[in-house]
Amino acid sequence: MQQTLSVVTRLLQDVLADEWDDSFDVQADTSFADDLELESIEFVALAERLQEHYGNDVNFVGWISSLDLDGILGLTVGDLVEFVENR
Amino acid sequence: MKRIDVGDAQINVTERGEGPVLVLLHGLFVGSLAQWYFLGAGVFAETHRVIFVDLRGHGRSSRPSTGYDLPTLAQDVHRVLDSLGVDGPIAVAGHSYGGLVGCHLSHLRPVEQLVLIDTPLPGPSSNPALASPDALLDALPGPLKQVLLGGGRRARRLLETVRALAHDTSLLSDMAAEPPLNTDSMQQVHLIYGEASGCLDAETWFLEELGAVSSERLPGGHFLLVECPEQIVGALARVLRLGSKNR
């Protein structure tokens, strides 16, 4: 769990670049929309980095495509970590 | 995602999958490749090389102050496709103004299947929802409106994009100055419009001008990618299957 959380945090940092705040405390219940306030294009950037990192092992994009907009907006970091670890 | 230099702009693009090329284009002001990505990246990438483009000024593309006329917007996409080594016929699906970009793209390279999703006619629009950036924001569907009303970073960035496009670029004047469409190179056009859309005059025009291949109505308004995602995927899948049979 912790390792996946670190990966996701690092990739988020990449995506948010200048806007990354070191005081962001990314945990399982951190929500992409409400807490991190990611724009959808930033979410795409994150999805691509995750796909790149985990390779064909994990079908992120397929999973995200199966969610509707409400689903994506409600996603937490924990949901992502769970998806990775249950692959 | 990467940015491709097209001269006076850097165009953000991403792609997934292999096979016949499908180019997905978003609408103006509030659009970006993200809208198509969540719909198209999974399903269509199983059978197609899906290319998602951010029009200039939108998403992660750069925002030059000029060049928002349809020929230039289409030229941007054309150059991106050249850069990606796409030289055969392509299928294009465009939502709203993205559909018009697709029409103009067919002047530059063969577009085998052209899907227009709630696409208005060029020039001053008769659709009240598209009359101004404020009207557009007002007409946003539920989930997107919630983002706006919630305030916060996403609302700020959305509003900033709309403001910058409206006030710092030639977009509005370019839109208003668009001449009528030249439909000569347009073939295999498929229309998808919302039942409650304010762009149905455009649907009528396309049907009369082109004798379009197919036309369907979905239970929604203008923002069909958000309002009817499953039906959009279904409709697009049918069009692409039709296309592959004719090959």
Side-chain angles (χ1 to χ4, degrees):
Chain A
M1 161 76 175
Q2 195 49 48
Q3 190 182 27
T4 312
L5 202 56
S6 305
V7 169
V8 172
T9 306
R10 181 169 56 77
L11 296 178
L12 271 168
Q13 213 172 326
D14 278 346
V15 168
L16 288 172
D18 298 338
E19 287 193 66
W20 178 260
D21 189 338
D22 280 329
S23 71
F24 279 161
D25 179 30
V26 177
Q27 297 298 338
D29 60 359
T30 302
S31 118
F32 290 105
D34 291 337
D35 297 323
L36 297 171
E37 299 192 272
L38 282 192
E39 283 180 296
S40 35
I41 188 99
E42 290 167 331
F43 200 76
V44 174
L46 178 65
E48 291 205 324
R49 278 172 173 76
L50 284 163
Q51 194 70 70
E52 216 177 274
H53 180 86
Y54 288 104
N56 289 329
D57 232 15
V58 183
N59 184 9
F60 266 113
V61 177
W63 175 55
I64 284 166
S65 308
S66 70
L67 302 172
D68 64 13
L69 188 62
D70 280 334
I72 290 165
L73 292 177
L75 224 48
T76 63
V77 172
D79 291 329
L80 207 64
V81 168
E82 196 184 303
F83 177 72
V84 170
E85 296 188 342
N86 290 339
R87 68 189 185 276
Chain B
M1 262 195 264
K2 61 181 178 181
R3 284 193 189 92
I4 292 173
D5 197 313
V6 296
D8 66 334
Q10 287 71 50
I11 301 297
N12 187 44
V13 61
T14 193
E15 56 171 306
R16 284 191 67 78
E18 285 166 1
V21 170
L22 169 63
V23 181
L24 298 177
L25 301 175
H26 62 77
L28 298 180
F29 289 107
V30 300
S32 79
L33 64 77
Q35 295 176 321
W36 271 119
Y37 194 81
F38 297 122
L39 280 188
V43 150
F44 298 113
E46 284 166 17
T47 51
H48 287 73
R49 179 183 179 189
V50 189
I51 299 175
F52 306 84
V53 183
D54 275 335
L55 299 178
R56 67 169 59 196
H58 296 73
R60 286 191 153 188
S61 289
S62 67
R63 186 176 298 142
S65 56
T66 57
Y68 294 87
D69 55 289
L70 284 166
T72 306
L73 294 176
Q75 185 73 249
D76 287 347
V77 178
H78 179 60
R79 288 188 174 138
V80 162
L81 294 176
D82 274 345
S83 176
L84 295 176
V86 175
D87 54 11
I90 59 176
V92 178
H95 173 244
S96 192
Y97 218 72
L100 288 177
V101 178
C103 294
H104 277 254
L105 188 59
S106 73
H107 302 154
L108 302 174
R109 57 169 65 223
V111 175
E112 218 172 34
Q113 302 283 332
L114 176 58
V115 183
L116 305 179
I117 299 169
D118 224 69
T119 291
L121 290 176
S125 178
S126 54
N127 181 352
L130 306 182
S132 67
D134 280 333
L136 191 78
L137 289 173
D138 209 46
L140 286 178
L144 295 180
K145 254 230 168 122
Q146 286 304 313
V147 168
L148 261 190
L149 295 172
R153 179 178 181 266
R154 287 157 69 219
R156 272 196 315 272
R157 291 171 73 98
L158 178 61
L159 288 171
E160 177 48 33
T161 299
V162 172
R163 190 212 62 79
L165 285 168
H167 297 290
D168 301 342
T169 75
S170 61
L171 178 52
L172 286 175
S173 53
D174 286 344
M175 284 175 75
E178 285 297 338
L181 259 183
N182 171 359
T183 59
D184 287 347
S185 55
M186 288 167 57
Q187 45 173 327
Q188 302 288 325
V189 178
H190 305 266
L191 307 177
I192 302 174
Y193 279 78
E195 276 160 1
S197 164
C199 293
L200 295 176
D201 60 328
E203 184 199 44
T204 307
W205 188 88
F206 281 113
L207 284 169
E208 281 168 4
E209 269 304 297
L210 297 170
V213 172
S214 76
S215 150
E216 63 187 288
R217 294 268 185 97
L218 296 184
H222 183 62
F223 294 94
L224 295 175
L225 301 189
V226 172
E227 295 170 274
C228 311
E230 281 161 18
Q231 293 97 320
I232 289 286
V233 169
L236 197 47
R238 275 193 300 278
V239 167
L240 294 174
R241 264 198 308 272
L242 260 175
S244 68
K245 279 206 207 102
N246 292 338
R247 210 169 279 120

